[in-house]
Amino acid sequence: MKYRIAGSALAAALIIFAGYAALYIAPVDMRQGQVYRIFFFHLAAWVSTFTAFTIVFISNVAYLSTRSQRWDRLGVAAAEIGVACCSIGLITGPLWAKPIWGIWWTWDARLTTTFLMWLLYISYLMLRGLMEDPRRSATLSAVFGVFAFLDVPLVYMSNRLFPTQHPQPVFFGGPNSGVDPTMAKVVVLCMVAVLVIMIPVLVDRYRLEGMRGEVEELRQEIELRTSLPGGNGLDAQARPVKEVL
């Protein structure tokens, strides 16, 4: 418990310092002014999104290979975090775009593929609730998750492959790409801070999914026993489990 408290305190301190660095340590951009500062957490949100969806892809492939429920639980946990981070990116992007581009949104290659990615992983999560059989649900969602991941590298490469409203990549781009060294350090700090927040949330969500699975198995076992001749005496045990759910 004390390690979890220490880890949470460290994560909170890191995210607070990252916010301070983004607002006060990073220099002002000569072209965009102060509004560009949203970029630090906008980019960090997308790094976390790609990280989470990559974990989903690995988990889906591993589940289809092993049929281990652990991989299925990890995939679900990572998908929820990825959708949350993707939503943050989709919200902060227009807030930055409006004063710079003069528009909130445009259906260029980058934004269209990103919106499609968001819809695909929301569909991945919704798909799991359409079937009562957990193993069938896990298998079908894993197949869909592998398919959905095809859009992730397309989002990343979109402004390299197609003309978009987005500028050319700032990092790992052409010869004129790059930022001020202080800006680069703050970018790395913000990315690390968001990832440090993401990891314990992923672990806790994975554990929660495991407990849900155990409760579901217990409920099914009780319902099976009560359906057998002479099993009515277990109704009193089944009722608390259903009330908990």
Side-chain angles (χ1 to χ4, degrees):
M1 176 62 70
K2 64 180 180 180
Y3 294 109
R4 289 177 62 84
I5 295 176
S8 299
L10 175 61
L14 189 59
I15 200 73
I16 290 172
F17 180 65
Y20 174 82
L23 291 174
Y24 299 107
I25 295 179
V28 178
D29 186 83
M30 295 180 61
R31 294 182 178 179
Q32 302 182 56
Q34 298 288 359
V35 72
Y36 96 99
R37 296 185 186 279
I38 200 171
F39 155 78
F40 294 105
F41 283 101
H42 176 72
L43 178 60
W46 287 121
V47 170
S48 298
T49 299
F50 292 144
T51 301
F53 289 158
T54 300
I55 294 174
V56 176
F57 172 73
I58 294 172
S59 301
N60 291 160
V61 172
Y63 176 79
L64 293 173
S65 302
T66 65
R67 303 295 175 172
S68 171
Q69 290 298 312
R70 294 181 178 180
W71 288 112
D72 177 61
R73 294 165 186 168
L74 180 60
V76 175
E80 290 189 358
I81 293 173
V83 168
C85 292
C86 187
S87 300
I88 293 173
L90 289 173
I91 292 171
T92 56
L95 293 177
W96 182 19
K98 178 59 176 177
I100 302 302
W101 297 344
I103 55 174
W104 294 99
W105 185 272
T106 181
W107 293 102
D108 66 2
R110 166 60 64 86
L111 294 178
T112 302
T113 54
T114 300
F115 185 69
L116 176 61
M117 179 178 68
W118 183 70
L119 291 177
L120 284 170
Y121 282 94
I122 289 179
S123 301
Y124 170 88
L125 295 173
M126 294 178 63
L127 183 63
R128 299 183 61 84
L130 298 179
M131 291 170 288
E132 294 184 0
D133 184 354
R135 293 193 176 276
R136 185 180 178 187
S137 173
T139 301
L140 184 58
S141 61
V143 173
F144 183 84
V146 172
F147 164 76
F149 186 77
L150 296 176
D151 190 48
V152 174
L154 183 60
V155 172
Y156 179 76
M157 296 296 296
S158 57
N159 62 341
R160 292 173 168 84
L161 299 175
F162 309 102
T164 68
Q165 185 73 27
H166 278 73
Q168 289 301 304
V170 176
F171 300 99
F172 310 110
N176 295 324
S177 63
V179 296
D180 177 87
T182 303
M183 289 183 184
K185 293 177 182 177
V186 176
V187 166
V188 173
L189 173 63
C190 291
M191 289 190 297
V192 171
V194 174
L195 288 172
V196 167
I197 293 290
M198 183 186 113
I199 292 172
V201 173
L202 177 64
V203 172
D204 287 344
R205 183 62 186 85
Y206 171 81
R207 291 174 177 171
L208 176 61
E209 193 65 23
M211 289 187 287
R212 283 184 175 179
E214 292 174 1
V215 171
E216 182 63 27
E217 290 176 2
L218 178 60
R219 183 172 68 176
Q220 291 179 358
E221 181 179 353
I222 291 174
E223 291 177 349
L224 177 62
R225 291 185 179 182
T226 54
S227 66
L228 297 175
N232 293 331
L234 291 177
D235 287 347
Q237 298 178 21
R239 192 174 298 111
V241 175
K242 293 183 179 180
E243 290 175 356
V244 170
L245 295 176

